[in-house]
């Protein structure tokens, strides 16, 4: 008998064939798959998928579009905007230079002269569009936010023309960043199918564990799958990862285990942080801005440590229950709970000013440090993996 291995069932980094969960968008209550399928049927329209990192954007496309029709490219593939159609042509196996030879031969002697760059571009464009149509291909332009602003604008322009010719394309990007070149592009108004992927609800995350352990023939109690879903912090990737860690820890592939034991959870969470590397990020947040020789006030806390205001903020984000959005009031409450001595606790103004400084530090740093955002009196956790690491990692 072919029993499935845990690694075939729980796939934190790839398409989850056995644990795929179908979700409904909250705005319309319609399955995301259905929306995407419908979007692809509307000719002359561009599909724009926006959603936070690791929420299932790529997996959704892979679910809806047959592998042989799916042409996946990334924003990083396009450095020089001039080459957009060339690069896609090469990707689908159209031999660009070879074809030019052919074109030359068909013409008379005079037309054998060099074809200039823009002529080449147009030629490639038409051929690529034709080729996509003939073969029912869909271009999925993933991580569009990785392309430079100039390139994004150029690509938007190119896609605008192409979709009129029934070229099918999906552009995927993160919220609030690269959506401008597409969604706010005046030329594309009324020609965009927008799909917004939302963070996962706990009940949806639970389905991953329920499906997966069922596939493996292992029972999982409701309250255990619920606990894991809370700890997964809206991230299906984390859910998959924690379940896989549990399987490794209980040696599920032996087939001897019949139920997920409760006491494995904490170890599984810690185990899952091993490959996460947010050490520097935590350090920078805890240190706060350079104190320039001034000593910061230290507070005695109930976690056996003396912490300054930055340490308190980080510690309060870590606390139970894990939240991906923390208001200033909630932070103040958590900080008050942490401090055990009688001295005056930091007031909201101090907390707010410290968070402003943290935000300034983050703004100046690159990608990996952008784990949270302090805006409108709320700390928004942008990267669930970071909060998970903060809760369970060793640093
Ligand atoms: N519909 C889904 N059902 C189950 N797991 C999913 C689903 N969507 C995503 N995942 C899990 O999350 C991981 C990240 O998804 P991915 O599509 O790569 O995110 P994004 O493209 O939004 O960054 C996947 O590898 C998979 O483990
Ligand atoms: Mg992706």
């Amino acid at each position: 008998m072919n029993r499935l291995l845990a690694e075939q069932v729980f796939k934190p980094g790839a398409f989850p064939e056995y644990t795929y969960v179908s979700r409904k968008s909250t705005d319309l209550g319609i399955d995301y798959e259905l929306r995407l399928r419908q979007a692809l049927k509307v000719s002359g329209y561009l599909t724009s998928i926006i959603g936070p990192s690791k929420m299932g954007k790529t997996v959704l496309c892979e679910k809806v579009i047959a592998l042989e029709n799916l042409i996946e490219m990334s924003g990083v593939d396009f450095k020089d905007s001039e080459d957009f159609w060339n690069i896609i042509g090469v990707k689908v196996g159209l031999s660009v230079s070879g074809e030019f030879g052919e074109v030359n031969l068909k013409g008379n002697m005079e037309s054998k002269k060099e074809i200039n760059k823009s002529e080449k571009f147009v030629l490639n464009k038409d051929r690529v569009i034709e080729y996509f149509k003939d073969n029912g291909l869909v271009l999925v332009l993933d991580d569009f936010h990785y392309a430079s602003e100039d390139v994004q604008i150029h690509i938007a322009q190119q896609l605008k023309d192409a979709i009129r010719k029934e070229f099918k394309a999906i552009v995927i990007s993160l919220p609030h960043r690269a959506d401008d070149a597409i969604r706010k592009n005046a030329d594309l108004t009324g020609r965009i199918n927008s799909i917004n992927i939302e963070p996962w609800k706990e009940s949806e995350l639970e389905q991953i564990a329920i499906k997966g352990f069922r596939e493996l023939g292992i029972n999982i109690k409701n309250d255990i799958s619920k606990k894991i879903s809370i700890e997964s912090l809206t991230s299906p990737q984390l859910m998959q990862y924690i379940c896989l860690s549990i399987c490794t820890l209980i040696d599920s592939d032996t087939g001897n285990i019949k139920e997920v034991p409760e006491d494995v959870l904490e170890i599984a969470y810690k185990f899952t942080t091993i490959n996460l590397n947010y050490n520097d990020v935590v350090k920078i947040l805890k240190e706060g801005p350079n104190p320039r020789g001034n000593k910061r006030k230290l507070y005695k806390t109930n976690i056996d440590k003396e912490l300054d205001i930055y340490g308190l903020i980080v510690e309060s984000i870590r606390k139970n229950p894990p939240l991906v959005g923390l208001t200033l009031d909630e932070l103040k409450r958590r900080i008050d709970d942490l401090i055990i001595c009688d001295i005056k606790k930091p007031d909201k103004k101090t907390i707010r000013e410290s968070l402003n400084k943290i935000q300034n530090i983050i703004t100046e740093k690159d990608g990996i440090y952008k784990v949270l955002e302090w805006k409108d009196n709320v700390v928004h956790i942008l990267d669930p993996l970071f909060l998970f690491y903060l809760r369970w990692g060793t640093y």
Side-chain angles (χ1 to χ4, degrees):
M1 190 186 95
N2 274 344
R3 204 153 30 83
L4 287 169
L5 298 174
E7 68 192 64
Q8 295 171 297
V9 172
F10 295 116
K11 296 215 161 180
F15 186 83
E17 191 186 336
Y18 297 101
T19 46
Y20 185 90
V21 173
S22 177
R23 303 195 295 149
K24 291 186 193 317
S25 60
T26 46
D27 53 354
L28 297 174
I30 295 174
D31 290 356
Y32 281 117
E33 296 81 18
L34 211 62
R35 287 189 68 174
L36 182 52
R37 233 170 253 136
Q38 164 70 2
L40 290 172
K41 283 185 192 158
V42 188
S43 59
Y45 272 61
L46 183 67
T47 302
S48 157
I49 300 182
I50 287 185
S53 181
K54 301 292 165 222
M55 288 298 161
K57 302 183 293 297
T58 305
V59 161
L60 174 66
C61 293
E62 289 173 350
K63 177 76 177 175
V64 168
I65 304 160
L67 199 62
E68 64 268 24
N69 297 333
L70 180 71
I71 306 300
E72 275 187 274
M73 308 278 308
S74 159
V76 286
D77 294 335
F78 303 96
K79 300 253 158 25
D80 172 5
S81 56
E82 302 257 302
D83 283 336
F84 183 68
W85 296 106
N86 285 354
I87 293 169
I88 298 175
V90 169
K91 172 88 177 184
V92 295
L94 289 175
S95 130
V96 173
S97 51
E99 281 298 317
F100 284 124
E102 202 180 295
V103 172
N104 282 346
L105 287 176
K106 275 188 199 148
N108 54 29
M109 286 304 280
E110 282 93 302
S111 73
K112 265 194 172 177
K113 68 180 189 314
E114 281 274 295
I115 295 178
N116 71 36
K117 205 168 176 185
S118 64
E119 279 172 330
K120 262 192 199 174
F121 188 78
V122 172
L123 197 60
N124 276 327
K125 175 173 175 171
D126 290 342
R127 287 189 54 228
V128 170
I129 293 174
E130 218 34 53
Y131 186 83
F132 267 68
K133 273 171 63 181
D134 291 348
N135 294 282
L137 304 182
V138 181
L139 174 70
V140 174
L141 189 44
D142 213 336
D143 295 325
F144 187 61
H145 47 274
Y146 284 142
S148 73
E149 212 171 305
D150 286 350
V151 173
Q152 286 180 21
I153 292 167
H154 176 77
I155 292 179
Q157 183 63 30
Q158 290 305 314
L159 289 176
K160 182 196 116 198
D161 288 344
I163 54 172
R164 277 186 224 275
K165 298 175 181 156
E166 306 200 12
F167 180 78
K168 289 190 193 295
I170 302 173
V171 176
I172 302 182
S173 50
L174 294 176
H176 320 303
R177 293 217 200 151
D179 47 346
D180 290 15
I182 300 290
R183 292 203 184 179
K184 297 193 185 130
N185 185 324
D187 290 340
L188 283 166
T189 320
R191 304 189 141 267
I192 295 178
N193 285 307
S194 298
I195 301 179
N196 298 327
I197 306 283
E198 294 149 62
W200 285 52
K201 298 195 194 81
E202 280 154 23
S203 57
E204 295 165 336
L205 291 168
E206 272 183 77
Q207 290 304 315
I208 293 176
I210 293 166
K211 281 193 171 193
F213 283 107
R214 190 190 299 137
E215 287 287 346
L216 295 172
I218 297 173
N219 191 32
I220 180 161
K221 289 207 181 85
N222 286 345
D223 64 317
I224 296 191
S225 55
K226 171 110 193 138
K227 277 185 183 155
I228 311 172
S229 72
I230 293 170
E231 225 39 77
S232 296
L233 302 162
T234 74
S235 158
Q237 188 192 29
L238 256 180
M239 190 75 192
Q240 297 267 1
Y241 218 140
I242 297 169
C243 290
L244 186 59
S245 297
I246 291 174
C247 288
T248 308
L249 290 167
I250 62 175
D251 215 355
S252 68
D253 291 343
T254 59
N256 299 330
I257 304 291
K258 296 289 167 240
E259 185 164 86
V260 177
E262 163 106 48
D263 60 7
V264 77
L265 294 188
E266 279 207 15
I267 311 162
Y269 300 149
K270 288 181 181 150
F271 192 45
T272 305
T273 65
I274 288 175
N275 295 317
L276 302 178
N277 197 354
Y278 291 98
N279 219 327
D280 283 353
V281 184
V282 176
K283 191 162 159 259
I284 274 179
L285 296 179
K286 273 185 169 173
E287 275 173 5
N290 185 345
R292 300 182 200 283
N294 295 329
K295 253 191 134 35
R296 281 190 198 127
K297 189 160 162 184
L298 288 175
Y299 300 86
K300 260 209 185 94
T301 68
N302 57 14
I303 53 161
D304 247 7
K305 268 188 269 188
E306 289 204 323
L307 296 173
D308 66 12
I309 180 70
Y310 294 95
L312 285 171
I313 288 174
V314 170
E315 198 55 45
S316 67
I317 295 174
R318 249 190 102 202
K319 285 185 74 161
N320 275 330
L323 293 177
V324 289
L326 282 151
T327 60
L328 182 60
D329 287 340
E330 178 65 24
L331 283 163
K332 164 81 175 137
R333 214 169 11 248
R334 289 181 175 207
I335 288 175
D336 285 355
D337 285 349
L338 274 167
I339 299 172
I340 46 175
C341 53
D342 293 334
I343 55 166
K344 195 171 158 285
K345 299 180 175 177
D347 56 14
K348 281 193 194 166
K349 181 166 169 281
T350 310
I351 301 172
R352 189 187 291 120
E353 282 167 3
S354 306
L355 281 161
N356 287 342
K357 288 184 184 142
I358 287 181
Q359 184 57 51
N360 290 341
I361 296 172
I362 294 175
T363 308
E364 301 217 325
K365 294 264 175 195
D366 42 40
I368 166 122
Y369 292 90
K370 303 213 186 295
V371 293
L372 57 82
E373 187 177 33
W374 164 245
K375 208 172 102 187
D376 306 330
N377 276 346
V378 179
V379 170
H380 299 274
I381 302 293
L382 302 179
D383 182 354
L385 293 179
F386 162 74
L387 179 51
F388 183 77
Y389 177 87
L390 192 61
R391 288 171 60 72
W392 301 104
T394 27
Y395 40 84

